[in-house]
Amino acid sequence: MTMRTDTASGPSLEALYGEVQHFYARHMQLLDSGAAEEWARGFTEDGAFWAPTLPEPARGRAVLAGGVRKTAAELAEAGETHRHLISMLSVTPEEDGSLRVRSYAQVIATAKGGEPRLYRMCVCDDVLVRDGGELLISERRVTRDDMP
Amino acid sequence: MTMRTDTASGPSLEALYGEVQHFYARHMQLLDSGAAEEWARGFTEDGAFWAPTLPEPARGRAVLAGGVRKTAAELAEAGETHRHLISMLSVTPEEDGSLRVRSYAQVIATAKGGEPRLYRMCVCDDVLVRDGGELLISERRVTRDDMP
Amino acid sequence: MTMRTDTASGPSLEALYGEVQHFYARHMQLLDSGAAEEWARGFTEDGAFWAPTLPEPARGRAVLAGGVRKTAAELAEAGETHRHLISMLSVTPEEDGSLRVRSYAQVIATAKGGEPRLYRMCVCDDVLVRDGGELLISERRVTRDDMP
């Protein structure tokens, strides 16, 4: 309700825009540094993540953090760094106070001693909600441009 | 006139910055999804687009939309997705109330089953004007880093 | 002191976010166009730059500008354009009024007649301070993902 009031007018939506961008910057820096639990706290308790390689969505912070820990260990083993660059965010406030956010996600992979390469090009469709002033992801749907 | 007042001071320019970024995010998402007419409505009625491969500027929404429809059909035929990532926007308010916006544009191409690749690196010089509260592009000049 | 007041609350930090992004956009456009002196004026008089390939930090505007002039001449000689794309900025206001800014930096290189390529993937840790209303970099530490 508070959010609807906040974002009913253009300027307030635009003020919100920086906040949403900032949220993604911190969220993805946590992911790329392997801070699995802190990254997972960017989701609601029962947050759901649909990824193109998963048969069903990953659900809940513990499951989400577990996936990131596994990937971080594999990358460390391989001596590779991944960076998630979120850009071109479009933000749509919904009636219920949530925000739909569509963005582009480049994943850039760099091996020690190697050239960086553009590993994935994705579109990320999130639903963000407010919890005690903070933005949290309740749903994330990722699609990859290389997959049908 | 209204805009000059809005942007005469630093903080207002910065508030405007999010709005301009958001404009580009939505504009380029329309382009990449092949929504030709909606994309073209981001230009003024007589908006002009100078591209390095065109002998003269494309002018007017109908012409602009036609170009996008053609490209979208070719990409669909080739099974390829293009993403336009606009970044590093510098925004300069002009005396007449318009905004000069210089940005970098990465174009990323991905074939189904293939690796994404950085297809083009461009600089985009736009003039934005207000029409009934909305931002519209009156002029766009694109240069490519690979062309002399 | 003024800055602490400005950024003590959430909304003001978010208003600042656009200003910081805008600062980087102009700063890097100056770098990429070879405007060495103007770029160096984005640092404090005694600003320091730690780069992974330097044995010690480059310090002061004259030294910083000299480095950029040299690189710009080499790139012109090679017929190559570099673009620095700063993204995913996280901004943390410090007690002393300065801002810690962590960002991702893609460097994209394009030869005339060639395909653009992702040349470097870096993380940039800056300290920004206010001087007469303007943001200036007092410290920059760059790390490259391909280096140990």
Side-chain angles (χ1 to χ4, degrees), chain A residues 31-50:
Chain A
L31 176 62
D32 296 336
S33 65
E37 274 70 27
E38 285 172 274
W39 173 80
R41 280 199 292 273
F43 289 82
T44 57
E45 280 290 354
D46 60 347
F49 190 145
W50 282 258

Side-chain angles (χ1 to χ4, degrees), chain C residues 50-104:
Chain C
W50 282 258
T53 50
L54 296 175
E56 51 186 42
R59 221 177 260 282
R61 287 175 178 170
V63 172
L64 291 165
V68 168
R69 266 197 310 273
K70 186 164 170 293
T71 302
E74 289 167 359
L75 289 173
E77 176 78 21
E80 197 164 280
T81 302
H82 279 194
R83 302 287 176 193
H84 290 75
L85 277 63
I86 303 294
S87 62
M88 306 303 284
L89 289 83
S90 67
V91 180
T92 310
E94 296 293 317
E95 288 291 318
D96 64 0
S98 67
L99 301 174
R100 275 191 301 118
V101 182
R102 164 163 284 203
S103 62
Y104 291 168

Side-chain angles (χ1 to χ4, degrees), chain B residues 13-14 17 21 87-92 102-104 106 117-121 123 144-148, chain C residues 18-19 21-22 24-26 28-29 32 81 83-86 106 108 110-117:
Chain B
L13 174 57
E14 303 317 333
Y17 194 70
Q21 289 179 307
S87 62
M88 307 303 284
L89 290 83
S90 68
V91 180
T92 310
R102 164 163 284 203
S103 62
Y104 290 167
Q106 291 174 280
R117 66 188 206 281
L118 184 50
Y119 175 63
R120 293 276 185 260
M121 186 68 227
V123 173
R144 274 166 49 182
D145 281 358
D146 61 309
M147 293 179 74
Chain C
E19 183 184 2
Q21 289 179 307
H22 206 177
Y24 280 96
R26 289 185 281 216
M28 293 301 173
Q29 288 185 7
D32 296 336
T81 302
R83 302 287 176 193
H84 290 75
L85 277 63
I86 303 294
Q106 291 174 280
I108 290 168
T110 312
K112 292 301 168 204
E115 288 243 321
R117 67 187 205 281

Side-chain angles (χ1 to χ4, degrees), chain A residues 92-138:
Chain A
T92 311
E94 295 294 316
E95 288 290 318
D96 64 1
S98 66
L99 300 175
R100 274 191 303 118
V101 182
R102 165 163 284 202
S103 63
Y104 290 168
Q106 291 174 281
V107 187
I108 291 168
T110 312
K112 292 301 167 202
E115 289 242 320
R117 67 187 206 282
L118 183 51
Y119 174 63
R120 293 278 184 259
M121 185 70 226
C122 302
V123 173
C124 182
D125 282 295
D126 282 358
V127 177
L128 300 190
V129 296
R130 287 265 181 213
D131 184 10
E134 275 190 276
L135 293 172
L136 295 176
I137 303 152
S138 63

